[in-house]
Amino acid sequence: MTDETERPVPVQDPVVHARVRALHAAGKGRNAIAEELGLSTATISRVAKLLGLDFARAQTATATAAKVRTLKERRAAIVDRLYTRTEFNLTRLEAESFKTLVRGEGGAEYVDTLDFVPPEHERALVGTIQTALTAAAKLELQDGDQKADDAKSLLRNLGAALQAIPDED
């Protein structure tokens, strides 16, 4: 019977081999496996090489694509909220009456209803609307740029694939 202190080094340890193989089969990447097993990424790389396992870039590409989709969805939700806020402020700006807090003599406060939007409030509302629309437009452009980058990448890959086809003369 072997003493616990006499376990083989991780690269040669069959228990580590089995765990790396199982985690790799489950789709875990090198960093995730290293973290889970408490080993360095270099050790995991050496074990994977011994076992003939590959940490294909396809896994990284899939994870990156999922992250990009998630961020795009979040930006779309923010854009929607910015437009909602813009509509709310436009409604306030165009309302037939405007309620404002007025301070009277002796510091007393009361709400006064006006039939117009005071200029200082109008400037503030227009500035708020402009800021929201500018932010929404920038977020929308960011996703437009991503579509253009995706198209360029597709064309670049297609061109490379076509060049790799041997000439049949």
Side-chain angles (χ1 to χ4, degrees):
M1 190 150 115
T2 61
D3 186 10
E4 278 294 300
T5 59
E6 295 180 20
R7 288 188 65 194
V9 292
V11 175
Q12 299 167 348
D13 188 343
V15 173
V16 171
H17 289 196
R19 293 284 293 138
V20 169
R21 184 175 278 122
L23 292 169
H24 181 273
K28 298 250 182 174
R30 176 184 354 261
N31 293 348
I33 293 172
E35 186 175 325
E36 187 164 325
L37 298 182
L39 300 170
S40 72
T41 55
T43 299
I44 299 303
S45 294
R46 286 193 294 275
V47 170
K49 186 175 181 181
L50 280 172
L51 299 175
L53 303 176
D54 182 29
F55 292 100
R57 294 195 186 275
Q59 289 175 336
T60 303
T62 301
T64 301
K67 177 107 176 164
V68 166
R69 277 192 307 277
T70 300
L71 292 174
K72 184 176 180 180
E73 290 166 5
R74 289 174 69 189
R75 280 191 301 274
I78 291 169
V79 167
D80 185 52
R81 290 173 60 196
L82 286 167
Y83 282 132
T84 299
R85 175 56 74 186
T86 297
E87 290 168 348
F88 173 78
N89 283 313
L90 272 172
T91 300
R92 288 180 66 198
L93 189 62
E94 296 169 341
E96 293 193 20
S97 64
F98 189 84
K99 293 185 182 201
T100 184
L101 183 64
V102 178
R103 286 197 170 83
E105 291 183 30
E109 296 179 345
Y110 63 94
V111 174
D112 192 13
T113 303
L114 306 173
D115 60 354
F116 65 94
V117 177
E120 64 274 10
H121 292 285
E122 185 171 348
R123 273 192 302 279
L125 284 169
V126 168
T128 300
I129 291 166
Q130 182 179 15
T131 300
L133 289 175
T134 300
K138 285 181 180 179
L139 288 170
E140 288 176 321
L141 278 175
Q142 186 173 349
D143 288 329
D145 290 347
Q146 182 62 44
K147 289 177 187 173
D149 289 345
D150 290 347
K152 287 177 189 175
S153 177
L154 174 70
L155 291 173
R156 203 175 301 116
N157 291 341
L158 180 60
L162 289 172
Q163 287 179 342
I165 297 173
D167 288 337
E168 294 183 18
D169 289 327

